[in-house]
Amino acid sequence: MSEQRIKLEYELRTETPFHISAGNAEGLYDRTVVKDHDGHLFIPGSSVKGVLRTEVRRLSEVWGIPSCGSSYGYKQCFKFNLCLVCNLFGSTFSGERLFFDDCRLTEEECQLFSTAPDGIPFAQTQVMTQIKINRLRGVVEEGHLFTSEYANAGLVFVSSITGKIDATGLVNGGTRFYPELVILLTGLKTINRIGSGRSRGHGRVVIKVIGLWVNGEKMNVNAQYRLLPEAVNALRERRTNDEVSG
């Protein structure tokens, strides 16, 4: 395998209100959502990375693609012969592989929100009143009524993923594809929730890849998706051969 430089641009659309905590209270809110220095909502790249890593690990297990135990906190890959998950997301020994930019509202979305006299955008969020349940007793905890700020549904964010991965280009039906990259694209497409409150239906999202480049060459995203079965088979065979040779 050789090192490939990739750039991936995607659009994230929220279908239900979501909450990614800023870690502090403000005004009437006990829990606020993250905003940038201009007061606009954003989704940290680390949040997308964490969810995507989980999805890629889940898919690799379903499809029988071997991986180490780094996602469970044990047995991580070293710098060479990395498993699929460590190749894409790095490990303690191999370092970061891909870099996830924060998801920012599109310019059109920013212009939709009016601006208050103090210059801070508003109408991006809503308040939800919640309670704390004692799970052992099955009753409401006394004195634990709180309010949370939630970002509204229907927002559109854009972001990108850049970096380097070890991958070998294959050709099928005249189309060049990279098995590791196909799995990454599929994992991104299957993400449907982000943030907290997912069990209550919050944080539902749809992600669409709008641009893909490998070593500066623009790739056909749909063609990569269509070659998912070939990508899975290639990764199964490659890992099996590595284990036999090792």
Side-chain angles (χ1 to χ4, degrees):
M1 288 191 294
S2 56
E3 197 171 65
Q4 314 293 339
R5 293 181 293 105
I6 72 167
K7 179 180 179 181
L8 186 158
E9 295 179 346
Y10 64 93
E11 175 186 279
L12 185 151
R13 184 181 299 270
T14 63
E15 294 193 326
T16 59
F18 72 92
H19 178 89
I20 298 178
S21 179
N24 61 279
E26 182 178 315
L28 299 176
Y29 301 116
D30 295 307
R31 300 193 310 160
T32 58
V33 292
V34 290
K35 301 183 184 73
D36 62 20
H37 64 280
D38 291 322
H40 289 119
L41 293 167
F42 75 97
I43 299 174
S46 57
S47 296
V48 177
K49 179 181 180 180
V51 177
L52 180 54
R53 182 178 182 128
T54 299
E55 276 298 300
V56 170
R57 175 180 57 78
R58 182 184 67 82
L59 293 175
S60 66
E61 290 177 350
V62 170
W63 292 328
I65 303 172
S67 62
C68 71
S70 62
S71 298
Y72 302 103
Y74 63 91
K75 190 188 176 183
Q76 298 186 6
C77 293
F78 287 90
K79 293 185 177 180
F80 306 102
N81 195 22
L82 299 174
C83 73
L84 174 64
V85 177
C86 290
N87 182 17
L88 295 175
F89 300 97
S91 70
T92 302
F93 303 102
S94 64
E96 295 290 327
R97 307 287 291 174
L98 298 176
F99 300 91
F100 292 70
D101 288 339
D102 294 334
C103 299
R104 303 284 179 176
L105 288 170
T106 64
E107 291 185 10
E108 293 80 5
E109 290 287 306
C110 290
Q111 292 173 1
L112 285 176
F113 300 111
S114 52
T115 304
D118 57 5
I120 300 176
F122 67 103
Q124 303 174 99
T125 62
Q126 59 182 283
V127 60
M128 292 190 182
T129 302
Q130 298 169 297
I131 56 175
K132 181 180 179 181
I133 301 294
N134 186 311
R135 300 191 182 278
L136 292 177
R137 298 167 55 207
V139 298
V140 177
E141 288 276 15
E142 185 177 350
H144 282 82
L145 179 70
F146 61 95
T147 57
S148 297
E149 184 182 28
Y150 273 77
N152 289 323
L155 302 177
V156 181
F157 299 83
V158 290
S159 187
S160 65
I161 303 171
T162 57
K164 298 178 181 179
I165 61 173
D166 293 328
T168 299
L170 304 177
V171 177
N172 182 285
T175 300
R176 176 173 288 275
F177 71 101
Y178 300 85
E180 294 83 357
L181 185 55
V182 173
I183 303 300
L184 181 72
L185 290 168
T186 304
L188 195 62
K189 187 176 182 179
T190 57
I191 292 175
N192 57 16
R193 300 289 177 95
I194 199 166
S196 62
R198 285 176 277 182
S199 63
R200 297 188 294 274
H202 300 149
R204 189 172 300 160
V205 300
V206 174
I207 295 179
K208 177 183 179 181
V209 176
I210 56 178
L212 175 66
W213 294 263
V214 178
N215 298 322
E217 178 185 354
K218 189 173 179 59
M219 310 291 288
N220 185 313
V221 177
N222 290 328
Q224 299 294 307
Y225 284 133
R226 287 195 293 268
L227 291 169
L228 177 60
E230 289 77 8
V232 171
N233 289 332
L235 289 171
R236 282 177 182 161
E237 294 174 3
R238 183 182 303 162
R239 196 64 183 175
T240 300
N241 293 335
D242 288 343
E243 290 173 352
V244 172
S245 63

